[in-house]
Amino acid sequence: MKISPLKIRNIMIIRHFRLIILVLFLGSFQAQLLAQSIKNPQENLTNVKVDELSDQQIINFKDKFLVQGATLADLELALQKRGLPNAEIEKLMLRMNKLGAISEPNKTSVLEQTSAQRTAVKSDVPLFETENPFTLLLPKIFGSELFNNPRLSFEPNLKMATPLNYQIGPEDELLIDIFGFSEQSFKLVVSPEGHIRVPNFGPIQVAGLTIEQAQKKIRSQLLKIYPRISTGETSVSVNLGNIRNIQVTILGEVVLPGTYSLPSLASVFNALYVSGGPNMNGSFRNIKVIRGNKVLAKVDMYDFLINGNAKGNIPLKDQDVIKVEPYDIRVELIGFVKRDGFFELLPKENVSHLLKYAGGFTSQAYSKRIKVIRNTGSMKSVSEVTEDKFGLFLPNNGDQYLVDSILNRYENRVQIEGAVFRPGYFSIHENPSLKTLIANAEGLKEDAFLTRATILRTKEDNSLEMLSVNLKDLLAGSSDVELKREDKITIASQLEMRENLNLTINGNVLKPGVYPYAANMKIEDLIIMAGGLKEAASLTNIQVAQRSFDVDKLNATSEIAKVQIISINKELKSDPNFNYELRPFDIVTIFSVPGYRPQIQVEVNGEVMFPGKYVLSKGNERISDVLKRTGGITAIGFPGGAILIRKKGNTLQDLIIKQNKLDALKKLSKDSVKVSEEIEKEMSRDADIVGIDLEKILKRPGSKEDLYMRDGDVLEIPFLKQTVLVSGQVLYPVRLRYEGGSSFKKYVSMAGGFSSKSLKKRSYIVYANGTAKDTKNFLLFKVYPKVKPGAEIVIPLKDEKKNLSAIEMVTIATSLTSMIFILSTVIKF
């Protein structure tokens, strides 16, 4: 079938039209995606130039972003979503790396965390919402904070009293109240034609009238049906109810241009806030309000920002147009000013105006001159504006002004420190010489080292030199020393130049320790400083040890300390016959009276007739002796379970016992965690359980089982035990009723028997009195320990056997083959 050229042409046109529609659709879809990804217009990084960012901006951005736990991958993704081009992202990464802002990234990305991990910080809060770091990459334009501050909305106040100059228009609601002799209320909406229709009366034209004018007109019309209005017996009130919306178009350099429906009470600031305010290129000082195709007003936001004057915030009317022009002159001011950032200037404004908008200099600013970096068209130039030309210098668009800080140095400072009453900094103009400076520092202290003071001086090439001065000669009238700027005078203290002198007192005093030495101190003085003597202190055997400075190091028998034994009286009075004066670093030891011994207390608890604390009357009292004093064991007492709790000591024997226990724990258990826990428990325990056999002690008092009681011992007599605990490697660990005469294996059988991992030959039993007994092996038989009431049967875990690997088996086989070969060779020879 032959197709005509005209038809072919139409088909091609249709195809091209479809292709254009598809391209437009994809473009709009991509724009929608970008708009969705940038929910906050103030985060739009599309126009950001990394080369224009300062180093401090990049460092601050890193501190706010990466500190929240995000990775570099998160950073790149977030920047892409906010429209920053890939080339600018690469520049940003390079500058962050150069500034040392990139550290080792986190292993887990914030975007990869679980929801539970994210909500652990703050639930239902999107990433970076609480502290948005991306605004730090945007230029800091003065005034932009008005439109991205969530605490400032510029919403019109719809609850205020109706302004008298408010002009009524279509869709406004009027509230008419008639009260007095006649009472009636009406809610009437202004029609599109501009009138209201009062029931039983007819239309009244009110569009274009103010509230005050409308009230007069409505009152005069209602006189026709309410004649008593003229006499005052009936009153009429007209108020504004629901207000109408107006259409305002906002265009030009704003973040979100378009037509907005606003309340009729809205003003210019309300409209600008709704549109997001001026964008990066928008002017804050040339905002036009156009009404009826004529410019009604020009708004300068700086008048509001600097002076708080809102005269430019005029009310808007329907079909008004707000146009934000591009800025003409914008400069950057950085450094030591109260508000740094980008500022917009009018053509005739100078540097003084710029400083005014920035709030002026800070206290550390160098205000004599400001550096200016200016674009010349082909390159940049640097110049300076001195203080006398601030009011004459006119900025150009793109200028950058840098305010430096004052120098960290002094033009007239000298310093004195050490043994003077008022050390510190002084002016060299009032203190040109050393003698004058000392006098103005309120003079030297009594402990000043007079033979040598030092002056650290900075020479003209900034190198240092040290000068020394004899203060004794200076004060005696020798020539004074002229000072120079930045001289540092140090006067040493004799007290600080020697070792801290102290004395040590040990033994039977209330506060033994180290005390400062003072000249002419006696032993009695030191005892008083130590709080006085204890009751057990001996007055006739006080040891004083002095340092020795003439030790013969080649003679092993040479005296290394001078030790003296002295006596004092009880009233600590000085003895004129023996007036010993302490020397620095003496060590005084107060021994106790030979026959003194404090009471020894022990405690008996549990099933005895009179439990409580007992004082030993003799040093060789045994358990049986103390038990007799308690009145004996009660009827339900269990001697077989009695234990003796004894305080730990620091003797060598106690340390050996503790170490043996720890070694036993390591051998018995293969569980390293459990062993560590048991060792930690053992080390923290301040008392030991001593295994005793009270039944034997009661049968044979004074025998070797009948231990001597020590201070702090606690004897516990439990009530009769009736159970046996089976634990460890049995099928069902359980506590069983004690049955007299039942064997070890019977109790194990009642707990389900040995498990497959049980080590039978190492089974043991722990009795109620704290002693233990293990299983004995005789030939091929196992002799299990006897079971008693309250005992615990423990079946240990068998060591796991490790199977040989293939490499180990090959190694063993090779070794055996080699040995057989060597043996056969030896036998042949």
Side-chain angles (χ1 to χ4, degrees):
M1 179 178 177
K2 188 175 181 182
I3 303 175
S4 66
L6 181 60
K7 193 170 184 179
I8 293 173
R9 181 165 157 267
N10 290 337
I11 291 172
M12 294 298 294
I13 291 174
I14 291 171
R15 287 182 177 177
H16 280 88
F17 180 75
R18 288 177 178 174
L19 182 61
I20 291 171
I21 293 297
L22 179 62
V23 170
L24 291 174
F25 173 75
L26 291 176
S28 65
F29 181 70
Q30 184 178 6
Q32 288 178 4
L33 286 179
L34 181 60
Q36 290 176 1
S37 66
I38 309 173
K39 294 182 180 179
N40 182 359
Q42 299 298 332
E43 289 187 13
N44 189 344
L45 307 180
T46 307
N47 298 321
V48 170
K49 302 297 181 185
V50 176
D51 292 337
E52 297 177 359
L53 299 177
S54 67
D55 291 346
Q56 192 60 47
Q57 272 183 284
I58 293 177
I59 292 173
N60 292 341
F61 171 72
K62 178 268 306 183
D63 291 341
K64 290 284 181 67
F65 188 93
L66 296 182
V67 78
Q68 302 184 49
T71 65
L72 295 179
D74 293 334
L75 172 60
E76 187 171 355
L77 180 62
L79 293 172
Q80 289 174 348
K81 284 185 176 181
R82 286 160 177 79
L84 188 66
N86 290 332
E88 299 298 324
I89 293 176
E90 291 180 7
K91 289 181 181 179
L92 180 61
M93 295 294 186
L94 288 173
R95 286 193 62 183
M96 288 176 69
N97 188 37
K98 184 178 179 181
L99 293 170
I102 296 180
S103 58
E104 184 67 25
N106 298 328
K107 293 181 180 178
T108 304
S109 161
V110 168
L111 303 176
E112 294 170 354
Q113 290 177 351
T114 63
S115 60
Q117 288 173 317
R118 286 196 196 177
T119 55
V121 179
K122 188 174 181 182
S123 59
D124 301 324
V125 177
L127 188 62
F128 308 123
E129 184 176 310
T130 54
E131 192 172 3
N132 191 344
F134 297 101
T135 55
L136 296 173
L137 296 178
L138 299 172
K140 190 177 178 182
I141 300 174
F142 179 62
S144 61
E145 63 274 8
L146 284 177
F147 304 103
N148 55 27
N149 187 348
R151 299 182 181 179
L152 189 65
S153 64
F154 287 111
E155 292 181 359
N157 185 3
L158 303 181
K159 295 181 180 180
M160 68 178 184
T162 305
L164 294 178
N165 61 348
Y166 177 80
Q167 290 188 346
I168 301 171
E171 296 185 10
D172 276 343
E173 182 185 57
L174 295 183
L175 305 178
I176 302 175
D177 289 323
I178 302 171
F179 54 94
F181 186 82
S182 301
E183 291 189 1
Q184 190 73 42
S185 296
F186 303 105
K187 286 185 178 181
L188 305 175
V189 179
V190 181
S191 68
E193 291 77 19
H195 63 259
I196 58 174
R197 184 175 294 277
V198 180
N200 302 321
F201 181 80
I204 301 175
Q205 189 71 25
V206 293
L209 301 179
T210 65
I211 288 292
E212 188 175 13
Q213 293 170 343
Q215 183 168 359
K216 290 180 180 179
K217 185 173 183 179
I218 293 170
R219 185 175 181 276
S220 65
Q221 294 293 326
L222 291 178
L223 270 171
K224 298 175 183 178
I225 57 175
Y226 298 102
R228 291 182 183 271
I229 293 176
S230 60
T231 64
E233 295 179 80
T234 299
S235 300
V236 178
S237 172
V238 179
N239 292 295
L240 190 64
N242 293 328
I243 61 175
R244 69 186 185 278
N245 285 340
I246 59 175
Q247 301 294 317
V248 177
T249 301
I250 307 173
L251 49 82
E253 300 298 330
V254 291
V255 174
L256 296 172
T259 300
Y260 293 86
S261 179
L262 302 174
S264 55
L265 292 175
S267 62
V268 175
F269 290 179
N270 305 141
L272 288 173
Y273 182 82
V274 171
S275 67
N279 62 18
M280 301 289 242
N281 297 319
S283 171
F284 283 79
R285 312 199 64 184
N286 189 11
I287 301 172
K288 297 177 181 177
V289 181
I290 302 171
R291 185 174 295 167
N293 297 324
K294 293 182 180 179
V295 176
L296 177 68
K298 287 186 179 180
V299 180
D300 186 348
M301 295 289 293
Y302 275 32
D303 199 15
F304 175 70
L305 292 168
I306 302 299
N307 304 316
N309 189 344
K311 66 180 181 180
N313 191 23
I314 61 175
L316 296 174
K317 291 188 177 181
D318 192 36
Q319 303 306 318
D320 276 356
V321 176
I322 298 176
K323 184 179 181 183
V324 178
E325 299 288 351
Y327 67 84
D328 289 328
I329 301 174
R330 181 184 287 171
V331 301
E332 184 180 12
L333 178 61
I334 57 177
F336 290 82
V337 288
K338 295 174 182 175
R339 285 191 296 264
D340 58 355
F342 288 87
F343 296 87
E344 185 179 350
L345 298 174
L346 298 178
K348 293 184 180 181
E349 290 185 328
N350 50 49
V351 172
S352 294
H353 292 93
L354 175 61
L355 292 172
K356 176 185 176 183
Y357 300 150
F361 296 108
T362 66
S363 59
Q364 297 296 314
Y366 177 61
S367 59
K368 299 295 184 183
R369 61 183 69 228
I370 299 176
K371 293 180 182 177
V372 184
I373 299 176
R374 174 165 286 183
N375 298 326
T376 61
S378 59
M379 60 185 70
K380 293 180 180 291
S381 67
V382 178
S383 60
E384 292 182 345
V385 182
T386 55
E387 187 177 18
D388 58 331
K389 295 182 180 178
F390 287 170
L392 302 174
F393 192 86
L394 299 179
N396 287 347
N397 185 39
D399 283 357
Q400 187 179 49
Y401 294 81
L402 294 89
V403 178
D404 210 341
S405 65
I406 57 176
L407 300 176
N408 188 22
R409 59 182 295 173
Y410 295 82
E411 61 183 18
N412 64 337
R413 180 180 70 170
V414 290
Q415 181 183 3
I416 185 169
E417 63 179 15
V420 291
F421 285 102
R422 292 192 182 276
Y425 296 107
F426 292 84
S427 168
I428 194 172
H429 301 314
E430 287 79 26
N431 301 275
S433 66
L434 180 57
K435 190 179 291 186
T436 307
L437 178 60
I438 293 174
N440 288 334
E442 304 293 343
L444 299 172
K445 289 184 177 180
E446 294 78 4
D447 61 327
F449 186 69
L450 298 179
T451 56
R452 194 176 191 87
T454 61
I455 301 176
L456 185 64
R457 177 165 292 173
T458 303
K459 297 195 292 186
E460 293 182 358
D461 60 354
N462 280 340
S463 62
L464 300 176
E465 68 173 336
M466 183 69 74
L467 305 176
S468 60
V469 180
N470 190 319
L471 294 179
K472 188 178 291 185
D473 295 341
L474 179 71
L475 298 176
S478 65
S479 58
D480 203 352
V481 177
E482 182 182 356
L483 299 178
K484 294 187 177 180
R485 185 182 67 85
E486 290 299 316
D487 275 357
K488 182 179 180 181
I489 297 92
T490 302
I491 300 174
S493 165
Q494 297 183 50
L495 298 178
E496 294 177 356
M497 291 177 63
R498 68 185 182 192
E499 187 178 1
N500 288 333
L501 306 180
N502 56 58
L503 299 166
T504 303
I505 184 168
N506 300 316
N508 285 276
V509 289
L510 295 177
K511 299 176 183 178
V514 179
Y515 292 90
Y517 168 80
N520 302 320
M521 278 187 71
K522 307 295 188 298
I523 293 177
E524 292 83 357
D525 300 322
L526 182 58
I527 291 173
I528 291 173
M529 293 177 69
L533 297 169
K534 287 184 178 180
E535 182 186 26
S538 172
L539 303 177
T540 59
N541 189 22
I542 297 177
Q543 174 183 282
V544 180
Q546 293 182 357
R547 281 186 178 180
S548 183
F549 294 91
D550 54 357
V551 178
D552 184 1
K553 293 185 178 181
L554 299 178
N555 185 1
T557 61
S558 175
E559 185 181 50
I560 60 174
K562 296 178 180 179
V563 180
Q564 300 182 55
I565 302 297
I566 64 174
S567 301
I568 60 174
N569 56 60
K570 190 173 183 179
E571 291 78 17
L572 300 180
K573 294 180 180 178
S574 300
D575 187 353
N577 299 321
F578 186 82
N579 192 17
Y580 181 80
E581 186 175 303
L582 293 173
R583 298 182 183 180
F585 308 109
D586 277 0
I587 299 176
V588 178
T589 305
I590 311 292
F591 295 103
S592 61
V593 176
Y596 176 83
R597 188 169 184 182
Q599 298 94 326
I600 297 176
Q601 290 192 90
V602 297
E603 188 174 353
V604 182
N605 297 324
E607 297 301 325
V608 293
M609 298 301 293
F610 300 102
K613 292 186 177 180
Y614 291 84
V615 178
L616 301 183
S617 60
K618 297 178 182 179
N620 62 344
E621 281 198 71
R622 297 176 181 266
I623 294 175
S624 60
D625 298 326
V626 176
L627 205 54
K628 286 178 184 178
R629 296 165 63 184
T630 65
I633 301 173
T634 65
I636 61 171
F638 179 42
I643 60 172
L644 179 67
I645 301 172
R646 178 161 287 175
K647 289 182 181 178
K648 283 185 179 178
N650 293 320
T651 62
L652 179 60
Q653 182 181 4
D654 291 324
L655 295 175
I656 292 172
I657 292 172
K658 184 190 293 185
Q659 188 60 47
N660 290 339
K661 283 186 178 180
L662 299 181
D663 293 339
L665 279 171
K666 293 179 182 178
K667 290 179 182 177
L668 285 173
S669 179
K670 300 297 181 184
D671 188 346
S672 59
V673 176
K674 187 175 180 181
V675 169
S676 299
E677 291 175 354
E678 291 295 331
I679 289 175
E680 188 175 346
K681 270 189 210 173
E682 182 64 30
M683 297 298 286
S684 62
R685 243 185 241 121
D686 59 355
D688 285 322
I689 296 176
V690 181
I692 61 172
D693 191 340
L694 189 56
E695 292 175 337
K696 289 184 178 180
I697 292 173
L698 293 175
K699 289 178 182 178
R700 292 185 294 170
S703 63
K704 64 179 182 180
E705 285 86 1
D706 195 3
L707 301 178
Y708 293 110
M709 299 292 278
R710 280 170 44 178
D711 187 30
D713 280 357
V714 179
L715 181 62
E716 295 278 354
I717 312 294
F719 61 87
L720 185 62
K721 302 284 186 179
Q722 296 178 302
T723 59
V724 174
L725 176 63
V726 184
S727 62
Q729 295 304 311
V730 291
L731 296 180
Y732 185 66
V734 66
R735 188 179 294 275
L736 301 170
R737 182 173 57 85
Y738 172 73
E739 296 181 0
S742 296
S743 66
F744 185 98
K745 293 186 70 174
K746 183 176 180 181
Y747 284 104
V748 173
S749 177
M750 293 170 68
F754 294 104
S755 71
S756 58
K757 296 183 178 180
S758 63
L759 185 61
K760 301 178 185 179
K761 64 180 181 179
R762 298 294 299 275
S763 301
Y764 62 95
I765 190 166
V766 180
Y767 294 107
N769 64 357
T771 59
K773 197 170 184 180
D774 63 344
T775 300
K776 304 295 183 182
N777 294 304
F778 179 71
L779 299 177
L780 299 176
F781 303 98
K782 294 183 179 65
V783 181
Y784 294 103
K786 184 179 178 180
V787 181
K788 295 181 181 180
E792 179 184 1
I793 297 172
V794 182
I795 313 299
L797 175 66
K798 186 190 298 183
D799 293 339
E800 293 184 6
K801 292 183 179 179
K802 182 181 177 183
N803 296 326
L804 293 176
S805 64
I807 296 175
E808 291 173 334
M809 293 177 66
V810 169
T811 303
I812 293 171
T814 304
S815 300
L816 289 173
T817 304
S818 301
M819 290 177 64
I820 293 170
F821 177 75
I822 293 170
L823 288 172
S824 62
T825 305
V826 170
I827 291 170
K828 286 180 181 180
F829 287 97

